[in-house]
Amino acid sequence: MMETELTDDIDQPLKDRLRAHPRPALLWGAGLCILLLLEGPTYLDGLLGAIGAGLGLLPGAPGAEAFASASAFFSELPHLLSRELVPNRGYYDGSAWQGTFLGLEPKYAWLIRFLLVYAYVAALLGWLWYGYVLFRRHYRAADWTPTDDVIDRLRSHYWGLFGLTVVVFFVTMAAFAPVVGPTTAEENIEGPYSHDMKYYDEDTETVETITIGEANLGSASRGSGDSNVGVWSYDDFGRFHPVGTLVSGKDLFTFLAFGARVSLFIGLGSMAIAGFIATTLALVTAYYKGVTDLIVVLTSDSVQAMPALLLVILATVVFRNHWIAELYSGAMLFILLFALIRWPGLWRAVRGPALQVGEQEWVDAAKSYGQRPTVIMRKHMAPYILGYLLVYASLTLGGVIISVSALSFLGLGITAPTPEWGRAINIGQQYIASQSWHISLIPGILITLVVTGFNAFSDGIRDAIDPQSEGAEGGATGAAAGGGGG
């Protein structure tokens, strides 16, 4: 009798199990809706803005202005982590701070908003994990699946968890760049002379008004003494700078936050295209083998034989005045270049697993039943190689971030004024031995930390998927080397 009930429960569709025990799912769904609604305008603003920007890149594409207007509308709506709710920009009137959150000093007001962002992300991720636990406990038919062992191994992989923490920190900085920075990109980077600010003049003991561009000129970090605004300090106009200012006087933290967006966009975009090419070719060569595999091998060898960094530099110079180099300040060009350069490495990483899957009995059975090759590759082969693709793509992503930073350091990367970490290192290198060391050193540390984080996370995923590789000699070293390639 018990075996019959168990069999019936396993065969029962998920929707029926939800109907039979809806309370945990409803409570979890309500909590998720609350978390999403707290930042709903931010998500809609980002989504509609991205769609509008994408349509704007296509000549004659309709709807770009409509999406941009909708994005602007949602950006004005109040939400939990808005700058208007927890403002840090204000001025000192001689007795107290005006315009800041609860009248606090700008550094404390900014720190509260910064911590709120990461607390919100931690709560959201924790709630998603709790949803997975509820699914395992109440709605999954099987008591155990191989995914459970993968997750358990990853949870006990401290090097991988360190990488995951760094990746979450980096992605959160990029996603919430308009909020985590002490100022905005419009004021700090794009149009400083189009915005005004108030400050307290100690000489006249009055509140004065000045353009942000003029204030930046008086807040530049160019050496020592009065020509420097360092880490965790105020400038002469009462503005707080968590990691100092640039040579131009612009806030370095805001520059780094929006620069993280550029690096993440290029890295994920290029890996998405390269991963699609690699997966498609791996499935095709594993299914047809023979001449098809030989052609792809020769093509990938030819691409890998070319010096990658020199090829990117050459393409950057050749396409300097081309329209594609103007898309997102050159980011789209780098996405295409790195995708074309990196797909052979990803293809070789998943070719072996694809060939192994292609020899399995279920693939032969699907062929004998007359299923189309595309269906077999998509349903019976692709799921078994995506884990390997994720590992090697995350390793390669670190190398892309380093390469973009190196190109920007050489003056060939993302064009100004769009922020990019490598350009900050370039403009601050002559001050590295002075009190303005922060301009180059802090972006350099962040690049190293982010690349190490992606490598550590991919190392953890690899060991979780393939327990035979756990603790293998040189595993972590090989991961770091694989991600840092130029």
Side-chain angles (χ1 to χ4, degrees), residues 325 328-330 413-419 423:
Y328 199 7
S329 302
I414 302 301
T415 57
T418 302
R423 192 163 67 251

Side-chain angles (χ1 to χ4, degrees), residues 88 105-116 232 240:
N88 70 291
E105 283 189 37
K107 64 179 178 182
Y108 298 122
W110 170 82
L111 185 60
I112 289 174
R113 192 174 69 238
F114 178 83
L115 294 177
L116 277 175
W232 207 255
F240 174 66

Side-chain angles (χ1 to χ4, degrees), residues 87-418:
N88 70 291
R89 291 292 304 276
Y91 62 93
Y92 187 71
D93 64 359
S95 59
W97 286 96
Q98 303 294 330
T100 60
F101 180 66
L102 300 178
L104 297 173
E105 283 189 37
K107 64 179 178 182
Y108 298 122
W110 170 82
L111 185 60
I112 289 174
R113 192 174 69 238
F114 178 83
L115 294 177
L116 277 175
V117 169
Y118 281 91
Y120 171 80
V121 172
L124 182 60
L125 293 178
W127 195 252
L128 292 175
W129 169 254
Y130 179 63
Y132 173 72
V133 173
L134 288 179
F135 170 75
R136 288 175 56 174
R137 184 181 304 166
H138 297 288
Y139 303 110
R140 195 174 66 183
D143 292 332
W144 173 89
T145 65
T147 305
D148 295 344
D149 285 346
V150 172
I151 293 177
D152 290 340
R153 284 193 292 267
L154 182 59
R155 291 175 64 187
S156 61
H157 196 290
Y158 297 112
W159 179 238
L161 293 178
F162 163 77
L164 176 61
T165 302
V166 173
V167 169
V168 169
F169 181 88
F170 172 68
V171 173
T172 301
M173 175 183 284
F176 290 90
V179 181
V180 297
T183 184
T184 64
E186 292 78 9
E187 296 180 359
N188 187 67
I189 300 171
E190 299 171 1
Y193 287 94
S194 301
H195 297 84
D196 296 331
M197 59 166 289
K198 293 182 179 181
Y199 74 100
Y200 181 72
D201 191 330
E202 295 183 353
D203 295 333
T204 62
E205 296 184 349
T206 58
V207 176
E208 304 290 341
T209 300
I210 190 176
T211 66
I212 292 179
E214 292 175 314
N216 288 345
L217 293 177
S219 306
S221 294
R222 298 180 180 177
S224 59
D226 295 335
S227 300
N228 181 69
V229 179
V231 176
W232 207 255
S233 62
Y234 291 89
D235 60 23
D236 293 337
F237 303 93
R239 299 180 300 176
F240 174 66
H241 302 281
V243 292
T245 62
L246 292 162
V247 174
S248 60
K250 298 177 179 179
D251 180 71
L252 178 57
F253 191 94
T254 304
F255 186 93
L256 294 176
F258 282 91
R261 279 190 163 187
V262 177
S263 299
L264 187 65
F265 177 69
I266 295 175
L268 293 181
S270 59
M271 286 303 97
I273 297 175
F276 176 79
I277 296 173
T279 302
T280 302
L281 292 178
L283 294 175
V284 170
T285 55
Y287 186 89
Y288 291 105
K289 304 181 181 67
V291 177
T292 304
D293 185 58
L294 178 61
I295 293 174
V296 178
V297 168
L298 294 175
T299 304
S300 66
D301 286 344
S302 300
V303 175
Q304 288 187 309
M306 295 183 290
L309 191 57
L310 292 179
L311 181 63
V312 173
I313 292 175
L314 177 62
T316 303
V317 175
V318 170
F319 288 96
R320 182 184 297 273
N321 297 321
H322 196 271
W323 64 268
I324 197 172
E326 299 177 359
L327 302 181
Y328 199 7
S329 302
M332 287 300 301
L333 175 61
F334 286 117
I335 287 176
L336 297 176
L337 289 175
F338 284 116
L340 292 175
I341 291 172
R342 299 286 181 166
W343 74 259
L346 295 180
W347 172 73
R348 288 187 174 276
V350 298
R351 175 174 175 262
L355 288 171
Q356 291 178 353
V357 173
E359 299 295 333
Q360 297 299 319
E361 294 179 355
W362 63 79
V363 175
D364 293 334
K367 291 179 181 178
S368 64
Y369 275 101
Q371 286 191 343
R372 296 191 306 273
T374 54
V375 175
I376 295 175
M377 286 185 274
R378 186 178 73 252
K379 289 186 175 181
H380 303 297
M381 297 175 64
Y384 294 91
I385 67 173
L386 292 181
Y388 295 95
L389 180 67
L390 177 62
V391 171
Y392 288 98
S394 57
L395 280 170
T396 308
L397 195 147
V400 172
I401 293 176
I402 287 181
S403 299
V404 174
S405 299
L407 290 169
S408 296
F409 177 82
L410 297 173
L412 299 173
I414 302 301
T415 57
T418 302

